[in-house]
């Protein structure tokens, strides 16, 4: 049947126009549908790209964290392996110092060995601190501290170097009212690094001066001046950048890694302070300025507690150490002091001897073959809980990160010493043991 003939009242032209309009509308709908399908495909593709980008970003973050973790582990292991040889060197120097045939030449050589061991230990500490600071791994134990005490402890650390070079260190001691909120170890490290830096870039016979004053805004400002090699404007601008060092000659006998001042800046910033550098120019000395907020609390009286030595008493001491040179010189050092010493070269032997309960003190390495020092101590403390035996236990380790110390103390160690330990510190701890 003819459609136009079956539609009364509509002529052929009108119907044709309507059909054309419908076809046009249909064509537009097909176009809109195609566009919608294309948009859907584009959105789907974009969504897939976003998902892939998110996965890639997470993978990159995971890779970065893994790389950072591996770097920290490598640095910790590097420090451990480099610290281990420093123990026999440092203790041997201490034994030479105690030698009854000590001569002026031997005394000078002993001093050189001890200073260079200390320098190597500082380089390791700076390197590890720079890595930990960049990854946010350092936390602070905040307490009210007397500024004078912090500067005094830093000066004691650098005085052997200052004396060796015939330099003068003048300190205008801050008043007891100058109290800051901070971490004792880290703020002492700040001033030690700055004093070491001043000594390094000051000629033999030069002068270093330390002074402190209360600033206009209620903070305290410490200045460390020297009359050494000075700095150019370019050096001042990047003095606190990582791996930056001032100019030095080929005759320079003692260098650095260029991380000490970067560690200083980061630690001072963590304490809410600031540090800056200035110099009139090359050959005209330098000034470093540390600004810290003052504390409203009073600092505790006295200094850090120490173990009171009891002279002339023999201790029975077990050394658990797999480095033969280290254990031999430690034995010699302790026997010179009159103590009775036994040695175990691995963890299992050390535990067996320790369980006999014959010792007043145990000096134990952490990285041991067979049974590590942490497991040894955990088993010893578990056995001691039943018998009541509890000798003084000292961890002697090349691992120096805070979490290493925490794990050792949690395992049951009474003290944690990082290699190379000063022989006097070890002897003082052992001298305070009641046999």
């Amino acid at each position: 049947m003819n459609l136009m003939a079956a539609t009364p009242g509509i002529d052929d032209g009108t119907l044709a126009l309507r059909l054309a309009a419908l076809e046009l509308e249909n064509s537009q709908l097909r176009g809109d549908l195609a566009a919608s399908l294309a948009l859907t495909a584009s959105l789907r593709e974009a969504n897939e790209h976003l998902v892939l980008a998110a996965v890639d970003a997470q993978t990159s973050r995971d890779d970065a964290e893994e790389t950072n973790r591996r770097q920290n582990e490598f640095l910790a292991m590097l420090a451990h392996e480099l610290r281990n040889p420093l123990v026999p060197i440092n203790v041997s120097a201490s034994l030479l110092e105690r030698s009854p045939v000590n001569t002026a030449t031997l005394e000078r050589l002993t001093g050189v060995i001890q200073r260079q061991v200390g320098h190597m230990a500082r380089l390791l500490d700076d390197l590890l601190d720079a890595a930990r600071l960049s990854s946010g791994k350092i936390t602070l134990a905040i307490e009210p501290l007397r500024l004078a005490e912090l500067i005094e402890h830093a000066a004691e650390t650098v005085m052997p170097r200052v004396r060796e070079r015939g330099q003068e260190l003048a300190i205008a001691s801050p008043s007891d009212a100058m109290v800051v909120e901070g971490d004792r170890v880290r703020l002492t490290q700040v001033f030690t690094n700055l004093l070491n830096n001043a000594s390094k870039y000051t000629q033999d016979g030069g002068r270093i001066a330390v002074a402190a004053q209360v600033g206009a805004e209620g903070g305290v400002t410490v200045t460390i001046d020297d009359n050494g090699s000075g700095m150019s404007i370019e050096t001042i601008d990047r003095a606190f950048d990582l791996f930056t060092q001032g100019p030095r000659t080929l005759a320079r006998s003692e260098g650095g890694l260029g991380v000490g001042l970067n560690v200083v800046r980061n630690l001072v910033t963590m304490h809410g302070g600031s540090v800056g550098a200035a110099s009139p120019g090359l050959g005209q000395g330098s000034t470093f300025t540390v600004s810290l907020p003052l504390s409203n609390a009073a600092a505790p009286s006295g200094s850090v507690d120490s173990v009171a030595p009891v002279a002339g008493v023999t201790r029975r001491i077990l050394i658990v150490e797999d480095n033969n040179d280290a254990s031999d010189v430690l034995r010699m050092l302790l026997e010179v002091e009159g103590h009775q010493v036994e040695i175990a070269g691995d963890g299992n032997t050390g535990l067996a001897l320790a369980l006999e309960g014959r010792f007043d003190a145990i000096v134990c390495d952490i990285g041991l073959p067979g049974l590590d020092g942490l497991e040894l101590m955990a088993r010893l403390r578990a056995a001691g809980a039943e018998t009541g035996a509890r000798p003084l236990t000292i961890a002697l380790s090349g691992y120096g990160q805070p979490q290493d110390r925490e794990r050792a103390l949690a395992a049951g160690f009474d003290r944690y010493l990082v290699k190379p330990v000063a022989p006097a510190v070890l002897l003082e701890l052992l001298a305070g043991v009641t046999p």
Side-chain angles (χ1 to χ4, degrees), residues 332-347:
M332 293 170 63
L333 174 70
L334 296 176
E335 288 180 343
V336 165
E337 295 295 315
H339 301 304
Q340 298 175 2
V341 182
E342 288 191 41
I343 293 177
D346 61 81

Side-chain angles (χ1 to χ4, degrees), residues 60-302:
S60 297
R61 284 193 295 270
D62 292 343
D63 289 344
E65 291 175 0
E66 177 65 15
T67 299
N68 186 61
R69 184 186 65 80
R70 289 179 179 273
Q71 171 187 283
N72 288 335
E73 287 181 354
F74 169 75
L75 289 174
M77 182 59 68
L78 175 65
H80 176 268
E81 293 304 315
L82 291 177
R83 281 189 174 117
N84 274 334
L86 296 180
V87 174
I89 296 173
N90 199 35
V91 177
S92 295
S94 182
L95 286 168
L96 290 174
E97 195 174 35
R98 289 169 165 79
S99 172
V101 292
N102 195 1
T103 64
T105 300
L106 186 59
E107 184 177 351
R108 287 197 301 271
L109 293 175
T110 301
V112 170
I113 295 171
Q114 291 173 332
R115 286 191 295 274
Q116 295 304 318
V117 167
H119 178 59
M120 176 65 76
R122 287 193 300 272
L123 291 179
L124 289 172
D125 290 339
D126 282 348
L127 179 62
L128 288 171
D129 282 341
R132 291 198 289 266
L133 283 164
S134 65
S135 58
K137 300 294 185 182
I138 284 185
T139 57
L140 303 178
I142 302 297
E143 60 179 320
L145 301 168
R146 285 195 301 274
L147 184 62
E149 185 179 325
L150 298 172
I151 294 176
E152 178 185 350
H153 289 173
E156 289 174 357
T157 302
V158 302
M159 276 310 296
R161 177 195 193 118
V162 169
R163 292 193 190 98
E164 178 189 16
R165 303 193 60 191
Q167 296 169 337
E168 177 188 355
L169 176 57
I171 299 177
S173 184
S175 70
D176 287 341
M178 292 185 182
V179 177
V180 296
E181 291 279 344
D183 183 296
R184 182 185 302 276
V185 173
R186 293 305 182 181
L187 285 182
T188 301
Q189 181 182 0
V190 164
F191 295 117
T192 300
N193 281 11
L194 289 173
L195 288 173
N196 269 320
N197 187 76
S199 177
K200 180 166 64 174
Y201 289 104
T202 299
Q203 68 281 0
D204 292 354
R207 186 176 188 275
I208 303 166
V210 182
Q213 63 181 4
V214 176
E217 298 181 358
V220 63
T221 299
V222 181
T223 56
I224 298 176
D225 294 291
D226 65 67
N227 62 350
S229 59
M231 294 181 287
S232 65
I233 294 176
E234 293 78 10
T235 301
I236 292 174
D237 289 342
R238 53 189 179 85
F240 297 96
D241 293 344
L242 198 59
F243 305 125
T244 294
Q245 300 184 81
R248 68 178 77 232
T249 65
L250 292 176
R252 207 68 168 163
S253 62
E254 187 172 357
L257 299 173
V259 299
L261 291 182
N262 180 264
V263 169
V264 165
R265 180 179 63 182
N266 282 285
L267 290 176
V268 170
T269 301
M270 289 176 69
H271 283 81
S274 62
V275 60
S279 173
L282 293 176
Q284 301 182 62
S286 302
T287 300
F288 285 84
T289 304
V290 176
S291 297
L292 293 167
L294 282 171
S295 171
N296 294 324
S301 60

Side-chain angles (χ1 to χ4, degrees), residues 94 98 156 303-313 315 317 330 333-334 337 339 361 363 392 394 415 417 421-435:
S94 182
R98 289 169 165 79
E156 289 174 357
S303 56
V304 181
D305 292 339
S306 60
V307 178
V310 181
V313 179
R315 271 72 176 171
I317 300 170
L330 281 172
L333 174 70
L334 296 176
E337 295 295 315
H339 301 304
V363 180
L392 174 73
I394 301 173
R415 299 287 189 275
L417 302 179
V421 62
V425 172
L426 178 61
L427 292 174
E428 184 180 23
L429 286 175
L430 294 172
V433 181
T434 302

Side-chain angles (χ1 to χ4, degrees), residues 16-30:
L17 289 174
R18 290 184 177 180
L19 287 173
L22 288 172
E23 289 177 357
L24 178 60
E25 184 178 355
N26 186 50
S27 177
Q28 290 175 341
L29 289 173
R30 285 197 300 270

